[in-house]
Amino acid sequence: MPWTRGELLGEGGYGRVYECLNDDGTICAAKIVPLRKGEDERAQAAQAEIEREVEVMKKLWHPNIVQYLGTERTAKELTIFLELVPGGSITSMLSKYGKFKEPIVRGYTREILQGLQYLHANKILHRDIKGQNILVDHAGICKLSDFGCSKELYGEVALTTTLKGTPQFMAPEVLRNQGRGYSEKADVWSVGCTVVEMCTGQRPWPEFSTNEAVMFHVAMRDSARPRTPAWVSKDCSDFLDACFARDPSKRPSVDELLKHRLVEEVSLASSRPVMT
């Protein structure tokens, strides 16, 4: 369908995201990725990752996941059309409004978990859960986005071994897996990091100035975990303790976390149970 490019919404390593107006009057987001044929291996790997992201998103349909709408390809660029989520990311909201009050944290956390529950039920790891990759619409509904790091799992023992994600949000088993692999429990650690981000207004591990320092600390210190803010409730503190269990076998699943007191009964109207 013909469309008209509008306002630039954001840009990253792979391309730019624009608001666009379709000729039928609908509005969506367009992620435009340049296709760089014949360039170095790094560019080729980035393009392959975008292609994998599209293949994953084609299979997803859930109210807490940004909806894939289609693609358009030319010789020079790939355009991915996505549901427009007008509220922006949690990270951008934190920069506007400051750290969130706990009722908002409770509601948003439930929304995030509901999206992850759907992914994990379909054997998909997100692998880059963080405020920047969670969009919020005007009704307060959170939607998981950016599936460039995601991974489909196969077989009875569903594990992956590749190092993917954002260091401040990565679980220790991801950083030190040494070929042993890791499971969907890595996303649970990242949820805990995102709760810390919402409660404080900044990413975990602000005391470290480089990604390498964070990665070394989390991988090598057996007690390393993001600090629980002193002002949160006991429910929130208990939730974070569960997410930050260093041993992933002792870390709860997303299904179990959805029964936790922090999110089981929330006041936000948007955070209602959904079908998986």
Side-chain angles (χ1 to χ4, degrees):
M1 179 183 296
W3 56 282
T4 303
R5 184 183 300 186
E7 177 187 0
L8 176 68
L9 300 175
E11 57 185 314
Y14 298 150
R16 296 181 173 184
V17 180
Y18 293 89
E19 183 174 317
C20 71
L21 174 66
N22 296 311
D23 279 10
D24 67 354
T26 59
I27 299 172
C28 67
K31 184 176 183 177
I32 301 177
V33 183
L35 299 177
R36 303 182 177 95
K37 292 185 177 179
E39 290 197 9
D40 58 44
E41 291 184 10
R42 195 171 182 178
Q44 294 296 316
Q47 184 173 323
E49 196 162 278
I50 289 291
E51 301 278 4
R52 286 194 297 272
E53 178 181 5
V54 169
E55 289 307 308
V56 169
M57 292 198 73
K58 283 179 179 178
K59 303 173 184 178
L60 305 178
W61 185 275
H62 190 274
N64 296 121
I65 291 175
V66 171
Q67 183 60 49
Y68 167 83
L69 301 175
T71 55
E72 179 181 280
R73 185 189 296 268
T74 67
K76 294 184 178 180
E77 61 188 24
L78 173 69
T79 302
I80 306 168
F81 297 100
L82 303 166
E83 170 189 8
L84 180 65
V85 186
S89 71
I90 281 177
T91 298
S92 68
M93 291 175 65
L94 289 167
S95 69
K96 292 177 189 175
Y97 306 116
K99 63 187 181 184
F100 296 157
K101 296 176 181 178
E102 192 163 305
I104 295 175
V105 174
R106 287 174 179 257
Y108 285 2
T109 301
R110 182 173 184 88
E111 301 276 342
I112 295 165
L113 290 172
Q114 288 173 169
L116 270 180
Q117 183 184 46
Y118 172 81
L119 291 181
H120 292 178
N122 286 278
K123 299 248 181 206
I124 297 171
L125 271 65
H126 188 281
R127 301 201 296 181
D128 202 17
I129 293 293
K130 58 182 178 180
Q132 188 176 340
N133 289 340
I134 300 160
L135 306 182
V136 184
D137 72 10
H138 285 162
I141 296 176
C142 293
K143 296 175 181 282
L144 307 186
S145 70
D146 200 335
F147 288 82
C149 291
S150 62
K151 175 72 175 178
E152 291 188 80
L153 302 178
Y154 304 95
E156 299 259 338
V157 181
L159 299 173
T160 187
T161 58
T162 48
L163 185 66
K164 290 285 185 179
T166 302
Q168 290 83 356
F169 296 82
M170 290 167 76
E173 67 270 20
V174 177
L175 294 168
R176 59 193 293 189
N177 79 78
Q178 299 173 328
R180 291 192 295 269
Y182 56 91
S183 71
E184 73 281 351
K185 297 291 187 70
D187 281 342
V188 170
W189 178 283
S190 301
V191 169
C193 293
T194 305
V195 171
V196 169
E197 183 184 12
M198 290 192 286
C199 289
T200 63
Q202 59 185 354
R203 288 182 167 194
W205 309 112
E207 64 268 33
F208 294 104
S209 59
T210 66
N211 287 341
E212 292 77 11
V214 172
M215 294 167 74
F216 181 83
H217 181 75
V218 174
M220 304 308 294
R221 288 281 301 274
D222 287 340
S223 61
R225 50 159 286 181
R227 294 175 186 168
T228 296
W231 54 88
V232 300
S233 69
K234 185 178 186 304
D235 284 350
C236 188
S237 179
D238 288 345
F239 183 91
L240 291 173
D241 287 345
C243 290
F244 294 143
R246 294 275 305 184
D247 182 348
S249 69
K250 296 179 181 177
R251 204 178 300 152
S253 67
V254 166
D255 288 344
E256 291 168 328
L257 283 178
L258 278 166
K259 299 173 184 176
H260 192 279
R261 291 186 304 276
L262 182 72
V263 298
E264 189 175 26
E265 296 180 8
V266 293
S267 58
L268 291 183
S270 66
S271 297
R272 53 193 178 274
V274 297
M275 297 298 291
T276 59

